[in-house]
């Protein structure tokens, strides 16, 4: 079974952008691949944060992943800081990564541009990302188009390390992108990608009433001023994309026909979407509430995941250190 690695930032409650853009795919992939799914909290500390807030966001993300269908019996779900081998391998990879490669990364340019003082962690972020993936000798990484550059760096690092320390039989596989059918989910403002920091999201724990309060004012095709004006679903960035994600195919066809033929108003269309969206989220919300009410079980699940991840991580670190002439920690012998 090929192995995949996926990471997600501990941004708090899962929203439908993460859910549709990544997590729903991971749930499907966990039955076909040996899956390692990591809440990457070491990545989160590269920007200013408050400690109590980070721990809360980390737990909320873990709850969201489990509630959305990540099955800890099938996938190894864990929190990055519980597996210290991630940072150990990242340091090793730092010694093999040209500075110029890191400075060229688009995300570094974007993030450093927004900071008064740029910390080295922002520059080295992709090295830790490479360590995350290669620590598990992952064959595939489910990514969107915007993450291919980071993955390419992981491949370069794997190649550099293999060339120096394992030239006859490459130790690290060069991970390949698994381009999934993920869509870039537009936020409720109709302009930017759905993102918690922009505040244009619908959270998976939100009540049906709160979801309706967000859907009701969402932008639609501006040509539809009145119910009798014909519209174009392709010019309706929020509601139509969500219908395609949450409504059955027959309803999506109905939306097309009713919009183009001015057979219903946008509020009717939004009510239809609301029904399908709430129906899909209801069991996720119920599971999330259950997990949130049982912190001890959540801790046990995440500790067990970290332990499983460490079995693989320790083996990789031992192999790497042996080839590099670095003695193992005394307790690891
Ligand atoms: Fe959008 Fe539906 Fe209104 Fe058409 S009818 S513009 S798809 S909300």
């Amino acid at each position: 079974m090929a192995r995949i690695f996926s990471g997600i930032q501990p941004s708090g409650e899962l929203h439908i952008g993460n859910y549709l853009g990544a997590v729903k795919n991971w749930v499907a992939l966990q039955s076909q691949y040996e899956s390692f799914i990591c809440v990457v909290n070491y990545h989160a500390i590269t920007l200013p944060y408050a400690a109590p807030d980070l721990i809360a966001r980390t737990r909320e993300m873990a709850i969201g992943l489990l509630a959305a269908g990540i099955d800890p019996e099938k996938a190894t779900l864990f929190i990055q800081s519980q597996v210290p081998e991630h940072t150990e391998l990242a340091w090793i990879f730092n010694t093999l990564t040209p500075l110029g490669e890191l400075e060229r990364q688009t995300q570094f340019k974007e993030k450093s541009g927004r900071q008064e003082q740029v910390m080295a962690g922002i520059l080295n972020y992709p090295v830790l990302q490479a360590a995350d993936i290669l620590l598990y000798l992952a064959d595939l990484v489910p990514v969107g188009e915007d993450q291919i550059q980071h993955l390419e760096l992981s491949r370069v690092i794997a190649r550099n390390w293999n060339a120096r320390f394992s030239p006859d039989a490459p130790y690290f596989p060069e991970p390949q992108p698994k381009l999934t059918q993920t869509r870039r989910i537009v936020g409720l403002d109709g302009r930017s990608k759905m993102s918690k920091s922009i505040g244009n999201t619908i959270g998976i724990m939100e009540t049906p009433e709160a979801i309706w309060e967000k859907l009701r004012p969402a932008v639609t095709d501006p040509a539809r001023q009145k119910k009798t004006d014909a519209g174009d679903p392709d010019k309706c960035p929020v509601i139509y994309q969500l219908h395609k994600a949450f409504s059955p195919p027959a309803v999506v066809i109905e939306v097309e026909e009713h919009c183009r033929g001015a057979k219903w108003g946008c509020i009717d269309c939004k009510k239809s979407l609301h029904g399908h969206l709430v129906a899909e989220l209801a069991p996720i919300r119920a599971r999330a509430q259950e997990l949130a009410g049982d912190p001890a079980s959540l801790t046990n699940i995440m500790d067990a995941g970290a332990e499983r991840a460490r079995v693989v991580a320790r083996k990789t670190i031992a192999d790497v250190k042996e080839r590099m002439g670095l003695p193992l920690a005394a307790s690891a012998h």
Side-chain angles (χ1 to χ4, degrees):
M1 208 187 229
R3 195 177 274 176
I4 63 175
F5 177 89
S6 305
I8 190 164
Q9 285 267 0
S11 54
E13 182 189 333
L14 201 65
H15 58 69
I16 60 171
N18 319 124
Y19 172 67
L20 295 172
V23 179
K24 212 173 163 181
N25 275 317
W26 300 349
V27 172
L29 293 171
Q30 70 184 348
S31 301
Q32 303 158 35
Y33 296 93
E34 189 187 358
S35 298
F36 287 79
I37 300 170
C38 181
V39 181
V40 292
N41 56 347
Y42 273 140
H43 287 278
I45 64 171
T46 55
L47 293 174
Y49 73 99
D53 180 46
L54 178 61
I55 189 72
R57 284 190 282 119
T58 304
R59 289 183 73 85
E60 279 173 30
M61 180 51 74
I63 288 172
L65 292 169
L66 290 162
I70 299 299
D71 179 350
E73 298 295 321
K74 290 182 182 165
T76 301
L77 173 66
F78 64 103
I79 296 165
Q80 188 182 29
S81 65
Q82 290 193 289
V83 182
E85 287 78 9
H86 283 254
T87 43
E88 190 169 8
L89 190 59
W91 173 254
I92 287 170
F93 286 163
N94 267 316
T95 66
L96 290 163
T97 309
L99 193 55
E101 289 275 1
L102 298 178
E103 287 170 337
R104 263 201 298 281
Q105 298 286 312
T106 317
Q107 283 205 13
F108 169 67
K109 289 182 197 159
E110 282 171 11
K111 285 188 180 171
S112 60
R114 285 187 244 131
Q115 302 298 311
E116 265 179 40
Q117 200 181 18
V118 180
M119 300 300 169
I122 292 183
L123 181 71
N124 292 341
Y125 188 109
V127 180
L128 180 56
Q129 209 163 35
D132 297 339
I133 298 163
L134 296 173
L135 189 56
Y136 300 98
L137 309 179
D139 305 293
L140 295 164
V141 181
V143 287
E145 300 279 348
D146 55 340
Q147 289 206 307
I148 287 186
Q149 193 186 27
H150 274 183
L151 189 57
E152 182 51 32
L153 185 67
S154 301
R155 291 152 56 81
V156 168
I157 290 174
R159 215 174 296 147
N160 289 351
W161 191 93
N162 287 337
R164 258 191 83 186
F165 299 107
S166 189
D168 300 330
Y171 178 74
F172 286 114
E174 288 186 27
Q176 303 296 320
K178 169 128 186 82
L179 279 173
T180 48
Q181 287 179 342
T182 53
R183 291 152 283 199
R184 180 180 178 273
I185 304 299
V186 176
L188 290 168
D189 55 5
R191 289 187 300 274
S192 339
K193 185 177 170 182
M194 194 171 274
S195 157
K196 200 147 188 184
S197 58
I198 301 174
N200 59 2
T201 62
I202 292 175
I204 58 157
M205 293 279 276
E206 291 196 53
T207 62
E209 296 73 27
I211 293 174
W212 177 246
E213 286 312 308
K214 288 183 169 180
L215 286 182
R216 197 168 43 84
V219 289
T220 60
D221 177 3
R224 296 214 71 196
Q225 296 294 320
K226 303 190 298 297
K227 212 169 174 172
T228 49
D229 293 333
D232 179 354
D234 293 322
K235 292 185 179 153
C236 180
V238 183
I239 303 300
Y240 186 52
Q241 71 157 357
L242 292 180
H243 261 300
K244 286 195 280 189
F246 288 104
S247 304
V251 173
V252 177
I253 293 169
E254 183 187 49
V255 170
E256 277 263 344
E257 289 171 359
H258 283 31
C259 181
R260 291 188 198 283
K263 292 184 189 161
W264 66 4
C266 288
I267 285 291
D268 302 317
C269 186
K270 289 173 176 178
K271 280 185 185 158
S272 159
L273 167 65
H274 181 255
H276 296 293
L277 196 158
V278 165
E280 181 159 340
L281 292 189
I284 298 176
R285 190 164 164 255
R287 275 200 298 275
Q289 279 171 336
E290 212 175 289
L291 284 159
D294 187 358
S297 289
L298 180 66
T299 301
N300 288 341
I301 292 170
M302 299 312 289
D303 284 354
E307 222 11 86
R308 268 165 63 185
R310 281 205 82 185
V311 171
V312 180
R314 280 197 201 104
K315 165 86 170 68
T316 305
I317 284 291
D319 290 344
V320 164
K321 288 172 94 170
E322 188 194 335
R323 286 164 171 79
M324 294 181 75
L326 300 166
L328 284 178
S331 60
H333 285 290

